[in-house]
Amino acid sequence: MSQIEEGVYKDRYQEYADEEEACQRENELVEFLEAGQLWSDKDFLPDGSSLYRDPHKPFRGGMPADAVEWNRINSLEVAGCDAPKTFLDGTEPGDVVQGALGNCWFVSALSVLASRQMLLRNVIVSDKNAARGIYTLKFFKGGKWVYVHVDDKLPCNRAGKVLFGHGQDPNEVWVSVIEKAYAKLHGCYENLTTGFIDEGLRDLTGVCCMKIKFNSKGVVKQIQDGSLFQELKEWMAEGSLMGCSRQAGAGAGTEQDTGRGILAGHAYGLLEMVEAHQDATLQADARDVRLVRCRNPWGMGEWKGPWADNAPEWEACPQIKERLVGAEGFRNDGCFWIEWEEFCREYNQVFVCVDFPEGGSGVRYRGQWVPGDGKSGAGGSPKYATFPTNPQYTFSVEEAGTKVVGMVSQKDLRWQVAATEKYTTAIGYVLMKLSGNTSRVKKFTPKQMAGMSRTYSPSRSIAGQATLLPGRYAMIPTTFDNNASAAIDYIMEIYTDKPITLEQEGDAVADLDDLEEEEEEELAAEGKAADAVSEEKAGEGDRAALPPGHMAEDLEAEEDDDDESPDHMALESLQRQVADLAGLVVALQGDIKGLEGTVATLEANRRAKK
C-alpha cells in the first residue's frame, strides 16, 4: 500500500471489499450481545481522547472533557430525542445545524449534500442495527472508500443537549452520526476544525471537486464577461454540489461580519442560481436579475443587503417573489438570496463538486514525482525546461465538445499526517494536445496547451476543466517548482462527460519514444529553468476551449488558507450551554426544595406517631 492510501489512525477505519462485507462485519460485532445490551466502540472511547488532541486541554471555548456526558441515542438519553431515526422523511439543507466546533466547512458540505438525498444516504452504509447501538459509514480517502463503525454515544452537555453538529429536529440523527464517524476517522473532533467545503464534499461523495478563487486572473475575466455565472449555473443544473466562502485577509479576524451579514472565514452552502425576470409595471421598468441562494450552516445569520429577506426589492418585483419565495414567505433559517454582483463582492471563492451524468469516462492513476526520473520526474510547471519529464497520461477524444475535468491530489495531511500540518508543495496539471503518434509531450509550446488546473496551489488537491476537440491528449500532473528533494506521491484523476480511449493500463505512465529517451534523460539531469516562456500566442485552429486567462505566462502558485477558526461559534455555543445549565440548576433547586418539603413532612409524621 502506498503512503497516499493509508491513514494515520489505522485502527479507526476498515478497508472492506464492498458494502456487503461491511454490513456482514457489523452483524458480527453485535451478534453475541446480550438482550438489551448496546454495542460500545473500543476504538473511539467516550472520553477526552476522542474530543481533543490533548485530552486535558480543550480548544478555546470547549468544555472540559470531564464535564462532557456521552449520551446514547438509542437509550433515549439525548435531550429532545425520544423517537430517534436516522432520517425523518426527506432531507434538506435546513436539517443541518453546526454545534460548538469550528467545522463549518464540513457542516456546510453536509448541508449541501442534503439537497441530494441519494448521495447523502450513500454515506450511511447501514443503520439496521441502530437499535443495538451501531452505525456503519463510508468516506472516500486516499482514492478509495474506507468504512467506519461507530456507536451511538454522542458528546452532550449536562442538560443532555448535543455539543457538536446535530439535526434541526433532535430526533433526526444523521448529522451527528456522520460527524462522529468523520471525527473517528481523523482521530478526534478537534481535528475537524478549519478546512474547505470541497474537501468535505470530496470525502462524502468521492467525486471530483475544485476551488474557484475570484482573485485569479482567469476568474476575474469570467466575472467581468458573465461567463462564470453561466458556467456555475450549468454545473448546478447537471447536479454538481457547491459551496462558497470569503477568506479572511491577513491579520483580520475570523468569522467576522463584513458589515452586511456575511462572515469572513466562514463557509456557506450554495443552493440555487437563477436568472429571474420582472415585467414592467406602472411604477417601474422591466427588470432582469441574477440571484444566488446561500445557506449559513448555523441555521441563522443572513445577508442584510439588497434582496435579503423582506428587502424592498421583493415587493418591487412580485413576479420574482412569487417564483422564488412563494406562499411560505421568508424564514430565519440561515437561507437567503443575494444578487450575483453582490455575491462576487461579498465572497471570494466557490467550491464545486462536479458530477457528470452517466455515459462518460473516469480513471484514477496513482504515481510519484521522482526527482531525476526521465518519465516520472518532478519536472515542475511549464516554465521549466524539465517540464516534459513529468508523468504523462495519454487519451483520445472522438467527439467534439467533450468536457474533461482533471484533478491532482497529494497526501491528505489531516488524515495521513496531522491536522495541524500545512501544505508547502504547490501542485497542478497541464493538458496538452499531442501531434501525430507521439506518446509524450517533448517540449512545452503554448499553442498545444488544451487546458490546465484552475491554478497551482499548496493544497490537498487542485482541479480544472476544459472542453476538447477530437484528437489525442496528454494529461500531465506537476509540482509548481522543479526542486523536489524526494519522491512525492500523487493521484491523478480524469473524468469526462463523453467516452474517451485511455492509452495506458493500470497506473503506468506514457513511455518515452525510443529515439527521444536519451534526450529526455539528459533534460531531466539538467534540471535548469528555461530562459523564458515563449511569447507565441495560441492558434485557434486546432485548440480546444481554455478557461479565460489560462496561459502559461500567467502561471503562479497561490496561497491556500483554511476557512474558519472555531472561536466564534464555540463561544456562542458555550453561551447556550451556560443558559441550558442555568435552567438545569433552577430545575434541580426546585427538586431539592420539593425533597426538603417531603423530608420535613415525613419527619413531622414520625414525631406525631411518637
Side-chain angles (χ1 to χ4, degrees):
M1 179 181 295
S2 72
Q3 290 185 352
I4 203 166
E5 295 179 293
E6 190 174 79
V8 68
Y9 299 99
K10 302 179 184 64
D11 58 336
R12 308 292 176 90
Y13 67 92
Q14 305 295 326
E15 295 186 22
Y16 299 122
D18 51 31
E19 293 188 9
E20 183 178 349
E21 184 181 350
C23 292
Q24 181 180 339
R25 178 56 181 158
E26 179 186 283
N27 289 335
E28 292 171 357
L29 290 172
V30 300
E31 183 178 1
F32 298 108
L33 292 178
E34 296 179 3
Q37 183 182 2
L38 300 182
W39 183 73
S40 291
D41 188 352
K42 294 181 174 57
D43 296 319
F44 198 62
L45 298 174
D47 60 25
S49 67
S50 297
L51 294 171
Y52 310 121
R53 295 167 192 152
D54 180 345
H56 306 292
K57 187 178 180 182
F59 53 72
R60 192 164 70 174
M63 290 182 66
D66 57 5
V68 175
E69 295 183 349
W70 292 78
N71 295 348
R72 303 205 75 136
I73 296 171
N74 295 287
S75 294
L76 308 185
E77 296 171 352
V78 176
C81 184
D82 51 12
K85 287 187 177 181
T86 306
F87 299 100
L88 294 176
D89 302 319
T91 61
E92 59 182 37
D95 293 343
V96 185
V97 180
Q98 184 182 354
L101 190 65
N103 65 336
C104 70
W105 62 279
F106 184 69
V107 177
S108 287
L110 288 177
S111 180
V112 171
L113 198 61
S115 64
R116 297 280 299 280
Q117 189 171 155
M118 290 305 295
L119 284 176
L120 175 61
R121 289 177 181 263
N122 188 52
V123 178
I124 299 183
V125 175
S126 173
D127 62 353
K128 66 179 181 179
N129 289 307
R132 307 188 77 179
I134 188 172
Y135 299 84
T136 299
L137 302 91
K138 69 176 183 179
F139 302 97
F140 195 77
K141 285 290 193 180
K144 63 186 184 303
W145 290 104
V146 299
Y147 296 83
V148 180
H149 302 292
V150 289
D151 64 26
D152 65 347
K153 299 173 186 176
L154 299 181
C156 300
N157 63 23
R158 293 292 173 85
K161 293 191 175 182
V162 177
L163 283 176
F164 302 138
H166 55 277
Q168 195 74 252
D169 186 326
N171 283 312
E172 189 167 37
V173 301
W174 65 266
V175 177
S176 299
V177 170
I178 292 177
E179 186 184 59
K180 179 177 182 179
Y182 200 62
K184 178 180 177 180
L185 182 64
H186 292 91
C188 68
Y189 279 94
E190 187 179 1
N191 281 343
L192 304 188
T193 56
T194 72
F196 294 108
I197 294 178
D198 57 322
E199 293 177 359
L201 289 172
R202 167 71 166 175
D203 292 348
L204 291 164
T205 66
V207 304
C208 183
C209 298
M210 70 176 73
K211 186 186 291 98
I212 301 172
K213 294 197 170 190
F214 289 1
N215 61 355
S216 69
K217 293 179 182 179
V219 177
V220 169
K221 293 177 183 178
Q222 285 189 282
I223 292 173
Q224 292 171 345
D225 64 22
S227 63
L228 181 61
F229 182 88
Q230 293 303 325
E231 184 178 1
L232 295 177
K233 189 167 177 280
E234 287 175 13
W235 275 332
M236 185 167 281
E238 292 172 352
S240 296
L241 303 168
M242 299 187 192
C244 56
S245 72
R246 179 186 183 89
Q247 278 188 302
T254 54
E255 291 192 331
Q256 297 300 307
D257 195 327
T258 59
R260 294 195 288 180
I262 303 302
L263 299 174
H266 185 64
Y268 294 75
L270 206 164
L271 307 180
E272 293 182 68
M273 300 185 72
V274 301
E275 294 174 279
H277 174 77
Q278 171 64 45
D279 291 335
T281 65
L282 293 175
Q283 292 78 27
D285 294 333
R287 181 173 185 178
D288 292 292
V289 62
R290 297 177 296 179
L291 294 169
V292 181
R293 185 169 177 247
C294 303
R295 183 177 186 271
N296 186 335
W298 294 356
M300 59 182 180
E302 302 179 8
W303 166 242
K304 300 174 183 176
W307 296 99
D309 289 5
N310 297 306
E313 287 79 12
W314 295 106
E315 298 307 317
C317 301
Q319 284 176 271
I320 297 177
K321 183 177 181 181
E322 182 179 0
R323 173 187 168 188
L324 302 182
V325 180
E328 289 186 4
F330 298 104
R331 294 183 295 173
N332 184 25
D333 57 359
C335 295
F336 57 88
W337 290 95
I338 180 172
E339 194 168 1
W340 171 247
E341 290 74 15
E342 295 279 6
F343 178 90
C344 293
R345 283 190 285 268
E346 293 292 329
Y347 296 99
N348 54 24
Q349 55 188 359
V350 165
F351 310 94
V352 182
C353 189
V354 181
D355 185 18
F356 278 142
E358 297 291 333
S361 297
V363 64
R364 185 176 299 114
Y365 298 106
R366 291 172 173 81
Q368 284 187 322
W369 290 296
V370 182
D373 192 283
K375 65 177 185 178
S376 292
S381 60
K383 71 177 186 174
Y384 295 101
T386 49
F387 168 73
T389 68
N390 284 297
Q392 300 189 26
Y393 302 96
T394 54
F395 61 91
S396 299
V397 171
E398 302 296 332
E399 296 185 51
T402 296
K403 290 182 180 178
V404 59
V405 170
M407 181 174 178
V408 60
S409 305
Q410 57 184 321
K411 188 174 289 186
D412 181 343
L413 295 182
R414 187 192 304 274
W415 184 54
Q416 296 175 301
V417 183
T420 54
E421 291 292 314
K422 299 293 183 181
Y423 289 97
T424 57
T425 301
I427 59 173
Y429 73 80
V430 176
L431 181 60
M432 299 291 290
K433 182 81 179 289
L434 288 171
S435 301
N437 295 319
T438 56
S439 58
R440 292 176 64 93
V441 171
K442 309 176 187 64
K443 178 184 178 181
F444 177 79
T445 53
K447 70 177 182 180
Q448 296 299 107
M449 190 170 79
M452 63 172 288
S453 51
R454 282 273 173 182
T455 185
Y456 277 83
S457 176
S459 305
R460 173 177 148 185
S461 60
I462 196 75
Q465 181 187 27
T467 303
L468 304 181
L469 300 170
R472 295 177 64 246
Y473 297 87
M475 181 69 79
I476 308 174
T478 87
T479 54
F480 181 72
D481 294 314
N482 69 345
N483 57 0
S485 59
I488 302 172
D489 292 310
Y490 69 83
I491 294 176
M492 181 74 235
E493 296 170 71
I494 305 171
Y495 300 97
T496 63
D497 66 340
K498 298 180 178 66
I500 61 173
T501 302
L502 303 168
E503 298 185 12
Q504 279 88 40
E505 295 183 0
D507 294 327
V509 298
D511 283 327
L512 299 174
D513 294 327
D514 292 340
L515 295 178
E516 0 171 317
E517 188 164 348
E518 183 177 340
E519 174 187 344
E520 296 287 348
E521 288 177 352
E522 290 176 358
L523 185 60
E526 282 182 17
K528 63 181 182 180
D531 291 336
V533 175
S534 170
E535 294 296 329
E536 178 183 4
K537 297 299 180 182
E540 299 296 331
D542 62 348
R543 181 125 175 264
L546 280 175
H550 279 206
M551 296 295 293
E553 55 265 34
D554 294 327
L555 287 179
E556 56 184 23
E558 294 183 349
E559 295 299 321
D560 206 17
D561 296 323
D562 289 339
D563 282 328
E564 186 177 354
S565 159
D567 297 348
H568 188 100
M569 194 60 192
L571 181 60
E572 188 165 316
S573 182
L574 188 62
Q575 291 170 341
R576 290 198 298 269
Q577 293 167 29
V578 170
D580 291 337
L581 292 172
L584 184 61
V585 168
V586 170
L588 289 173
Q589 287 174 339
D591 292 341
I592 290 170
K593 288 182 179 179
L595 289 171
E596 288 175 343
T598 300
V599 169
T601 301
L602 291 172
E603 180 64 20
N605 291 337
R606 185 181 67 82
R607 289 175 179 173
K609 288 180 180 180
K610 287 182 177 179

